[in-house]
Amino acid sequence: MAEIRLTKVEQGQTKIRNVPIAVTPEGFWCCPSPVVFQKTLKAQNPLNKPKSSPPPPKSSAQKKLTPLNEKKPTFPQSRDEVFSNDQRCFSNDALGLTASIGSERAVRPKAENLPRKVAIEFGEPGTSDLKIILHGKQGFSVKLGVHKSVLKEKSSFFANKLFEEQPDLSCIGIDDCEDVEFYVETIGLMYYKDMKQKLIKQNVSRALRILKVAEALGFNSCIQTCLEYLEAVPWVDDEEEEKVVSSILRLQGEGIVVSPVLKRVASEASNHHKDTLSNIMELVLKSNEERGRREMKSIVLKLLRENNNLPSSASAMDICNNTIYTSCKRCLNSLLGMFRVAAEPEFNDKPLDDKGPVLKQIILEADNLLWLLEILIERQAADEFAVLWSSHQELASLHKKLPIVSRHLVSCITARLFVGIGRGELLPLKDTRHMLLETWLQPLIDDYSWLLHGSRSFDRKLVEEGIGRTILTLPLEEQQTILLAWLGSFLKAGDNCPNLQRAFEVWWRRTFIRPYSEARGNMLQLDSLMTSR
């Protein structure tokens, strides 16, 4: 908190101006700042107003007092007397301030002529028994007339540190106030029975600043009211949420109960994340509504990608990956079951109404697997998926028995794995890479023409580069076997087959050129040794 010291009101340098405040039986509501007070000075006291004409009880000047308050208060019976006395004092000061510039012409005050000190009295005028001087930035100060009994009751800070130790103290100075405005607002709230009504029209940022001052002053009832406000009011964006949470966590360290607010952003359930993620995955994977499914797949993928960029525990990552792999295995089993049904000889003889649901389910499960693979690649956890996919020889053998329009998405899964290996996004073992090529390259070649002409998202160059690079990671003999098999398909299908010529050239140089170069290098090295002797 700002420094507290005993002080006296300065004399002679800058005159303290009494600003009329709308007083209610409970207190008042005020947000003082140099600009607000200067606007009030101009509105209440025109520079050409005669000195001898005090304002009537219902003058226009009196009506302009209410902008200082966020809500028009209910005035006591002595309201007119309070305003008349304050305004007379203020009018005299205002006329003295403007005497040097004449009474016929109003000149806009410069910044240096703004009132640097303001006096405010709480409760019934003339009854205060303690002065608080708030020294803010840029020399601006506010003098508060307050009541010891109120501050003792509401503020543990004032009660413990000042009043109980020095009961006869009549003046307190608080230096370097970061928020003079909110010190005044917070102390003003000590005079209200229903603080929530005064906070309800505030925004979150102002409530947090009031909360900070209330914490420094030990104003517990205000802290509780601010917490209730923050628990109920919407937070408009991530930045505002972070401000609220950081402020609340600071209070939590001081033993204040903040759990109702924190429940917005933290769950007490130990298994919450695993169950929630599993439910979300299941809902998306089982959805048949195309647009909603597509949008939610994109949103979940984006949010999981954001999670990948945040530091988290290994156990949380494992829980998430295990949940995804559980969904992968369920989709793979479902896909294999649908393939078995569709590969039966009598399936083609069935009416379209009977075949349609099976073929649609095949497309749905293949699309699910493609989405789950993308998530795993983003999380750098797709190696196990490559093992699962390469080990499904039965699925690959049934592939050719299905119509290409229903099976082509399965080849998209294979293509994505090759692209991932070619980019280094997943690093399966050598046996897995070899099995993947042996099992799924030919089905991909069979569907290649359809993928080129029937899929807008299919990137031929990227896929061919991925296949070639995957082949070149194998031992030279295995490269030869796979590339020679590809060559036979390419010479038959041409452009309807993946073009792996670049990988073929690399294999050729490795096989036929580099060994001779190495042998020639050895011969030259031997000749140089003989010559040196």
Side-chain angles (χ1 to χ4, degrees):
M1 183 183 170
E3 181 184 353
I4 304 282
R5 63 178 177 81
L6 302 184
T7 185
K8 294 182 178 180
V9 179
E10 300 177 6
Q11 299 290 339
Q13 294 183 356
T14 308
K15 194 168 186 179
I16 296 180
R17 311 198 182 282
N18 293 311
V19 178
I21 301 297
V23 182
T24 72
E26 294 180 335
F28 78 104
W29 184 252
C30 179
C31 303
S33 69
V35 175
V36 171
F37 283 122
Q38 178 59 25
K39 289 181 179 179
T40 306
L41 290 175
K42 294 178 66 179
Q44 304 283 344
N45 298 273
L47 296 176
N48 59 355
K49 185 177 179 180
K51 181 177 179 181
S52 59
S53 301
K58 296 185 179 180
S59 66
S60 60
Q62 180 176 329
K63 292 180 181 179
K64 292 183 180 180
L65 291 174
T66 55
L68 280 174
N69 299 274
E70 298 194 7
K71 186 176 181 181
K72 187 175 180 181
T74 303
F75 297 100
Q77 293 180 354
S78 59
R79 172 174 174 266
D80 294 338
E81 296 178 7
V82 171
F83 278 105
S84 298
N85 294 335
D86 285 338
Q87 287 172 350
R88 287 195 201 99
C89 179
F90 177 69
S91 298
N92 295 337
D93 290 338
L95 290 173
L97 177 67
T98 58
S100 60
I101 58 176
S103 60
E104 295 182 357
R105 182 183 177 189
V107 179
R108 186 175 183 178
K110 297 181 179 179
E112 58 268 19
N113 293 329
L114 290 175
R116 309 308 295 169
K117 295 186 179 181
V118 176
I120 302 172
E121 188 170 8
F122 288 81
E124 294 295 335
T127 63
S128 63
D129 55 2
L130 178 69
K131 303 297 181 184
I132 297 178
I133 309 297
L134 304 174
H135 299 282
K137 296 180 179 179
Q138 300 176 348
F140 180 71
S141 299
V142 176
K143 182 181 74 172
L144 305 178
V146 296
H147 302 77
K148 291 182 181 181
S149 59
V150 174
L151 268 64
K152 280 184 179 181
E153 178 186 356
K154 300 292 185 178
S155 170
S156 62
F157 179 86
F158 286 125
N160 296 333
K161 299 297 182 181
L162 297 176
F163 299 140
E164 292 181 359
E165 297 177 5
Q166 301 183 46
D168 296 332
L169 189 64
S170 61
C171 189
I172 304 170
I174 304 181
D175 289 337
D176 299 326
C177 292
E178 183 179 352
D179 277 331
V180 172
E181 171 184 354
F182 291 95
Y183 267 85
V184 176
E185 285 200 11
T186 306
I187 293 173
L189 283 171
M190 296 181 186
Y191 287 79
Y192 274 92
K193 293 180 180 179
D194 190 358
M195 288 180 286
K196 189 174 182 179
Q197 293 300 319
K198 288 303 173 184
L199 285 176
I200 200 168
K201 291 186 178 181
Q202 302 295 309
N203 56 41
V204 171
S205 178
R206 293 182 66 86
L208 288 174
R209 293 167 78 178
I210 293 172
L211 176 63
K212 183 178 180 181
V213 177
E215 178 192 0
L217 297 179
F219 189 2
N220 292 331
S221 58
C222 182
I223 292 174
Q224 186 60 39
T225 301
C226 289
L227 291 175
E228 293 173 0
Y229 169 83
L230 294 171
E231 189 275 332
V233 71
W235 306 334
V236 297
D237 52 29
D238 292 342
E239 181 180 357
E240 188 165 270
E241 178 178 315
E242 290 177 3
K243 289 180 180 178
V244 173
V245 172
S246 61
S247 299
I248 295 304
L249 290 176
R250 186 184 69 249
L251 290 174
Q252 187 180 35
E254 299 178 6
I256 299 173
V257 178
V258 296
S259 56
V261 183
L262 290 180
K263 282 183 178 179
R264 278 200 195 184
V265 296
S267 173
E268 297 177 356
S270 58
N271 222 12
H272 172 73
H273 297 296
K274 179 180 178 180
D275 294 341
T276 302
L277 181 60
S278 179
N279 290 337
I280 292 172
M281 289 289 183
E282 185 176 359
L283 288 171
V284 176
L285 294 173
K286 291 184 177 180
S287 172
N288 291 317
E289 205 287 315
E290 183 178 354
R291 180 176 178 180
R293 172 185 169 86
R294 181 176 63 251
E295 291 184 2
M296 286 309 303
K297 282 167 55 181
S298 176
I299 290 172
V300 172
L301 181 60
K302 181 187 73 171
L303 295 176
L304 288 174
R305 185 181 294 120
E306 291 178 4
N307 287 0
N308 296 341
N309 298 328
L310 298 176
S312 59
S313 63
S315 60
M317 291 288 289
D318 291 341
I319 289 173
C320 184
N321 293 342
N322 290 339
T323 301
I324 297 171
Y325 270 113
T326 300
S327 298
C328 287
K329 292 174 183 177
R330 185 165 56 247
C331 291
L332 269 172
N333 291 334
S334 175
L335 183 64
L336 179 59
M338 295 298 104
F339 262 55
R340 287 170 178 168
V341 173
E344 294 176 356
E346 61 272 14
F347 182 77
N348 291 330
D349 299 331
K350 292 182 177 181
L352 184 61
D353 291 343
D354 293 339
K355 294 192 298 184
V358 175
L359 299 178
K360 185 176 181 180
Q361 188 67 24
I362 290 174
I363 294 174
L364 181 67
E365 298 296 359
D367 185 64
N368 286 339
L369 286 167
L370 191 59
W371 177 57
L372 293 170
L373 173 59
E374 198 68 44
I375 293 174
L376 291 169
I377 289 175
E378 289 282 349
R379 299 178 67 81
Q380 300 178 353
D383 290 1
E384 186 180 342
F385 188 96
V387 175
L388 289 172
W389 191 248
S390 63
S391 63
H392 266 273
Q393 285 89 357
E394 182 183 0
L395 190 65
S397 64
L398 296 172
H399 182 270
K400 59 185 177 182
K401 298 182 180 181
L402 270 66
I404 193 170
V405 67
S406 302
R407 75 190 190 199
H408 71 278
L409 277 179
V410 173
S411 293
C412 289
I413 299 172
T414 303
R416 184 64 184 93
L417 282 169
F418 285 138
V419 171
I421 295 172
R423 288 174 168 177
E425 294 173 331
L426 61 156
L427 303 172
L429 298 176
K430 186 264 293 181
D431 291 342
T432 302
R433 301 194 303 272
H434 183 258
M435 188 181 298
L436 182 65
L437 287 161
E438 286 284 338
T439 304
W440 287 106
L441 180 57
Q442 188 57 49
L444 176 59
I445 292 174
D446 295 341
D447 294 347
Y448 207 72
S449 177
W450 178 274
L451 294 173
L452 288 175
H453 301 97
S455 178
R456 295 180 181 179
S457 60
F458 189 78
D459 190 329
R460 175 173 190 164
K461 182 178 179 181
L462 202 60
V463 172
E464 291 172 353
E465 186 179 72
I467 297 172
R469 289 182 176 181
T470 304
I471 294 172
L472 294 175
T473 63
L474 300 177
L476 196 60
E477 292 79 6
E478 294 177 0
Q479 295 177 35
Q480 177 177 323
T481 302
I482 295 172
L483 285 171
L484 290 180
W486 160 80
L487 182 59
S489 299
F490 184 71
L491 292 175
K492 292 178 182 178
D495 286 342
N496 291 327
C497 179
N499 191 335
L500 306 180
Q501 293 183 31
R502 185 173 181 181
F504 186 84
E505 291 175 4
V506 174
W507 165 79
W508 180 279
R509 293 188 184 95
R510 289 175 176 177
T511 303
F512 297 107
I513 298 177
R514 290 180 181 174
Y516 293 102
S517 300
E518 293 172 359
R520 183 182 179 186
N522 293 335
M523 291 292 294
L524 292 174
Q525 185 178 7
L526 181 60
D527 290 343
S528 63
L529 289 174
M530 294 296 293
T531 304
S532 62
R533 291 179 181 178

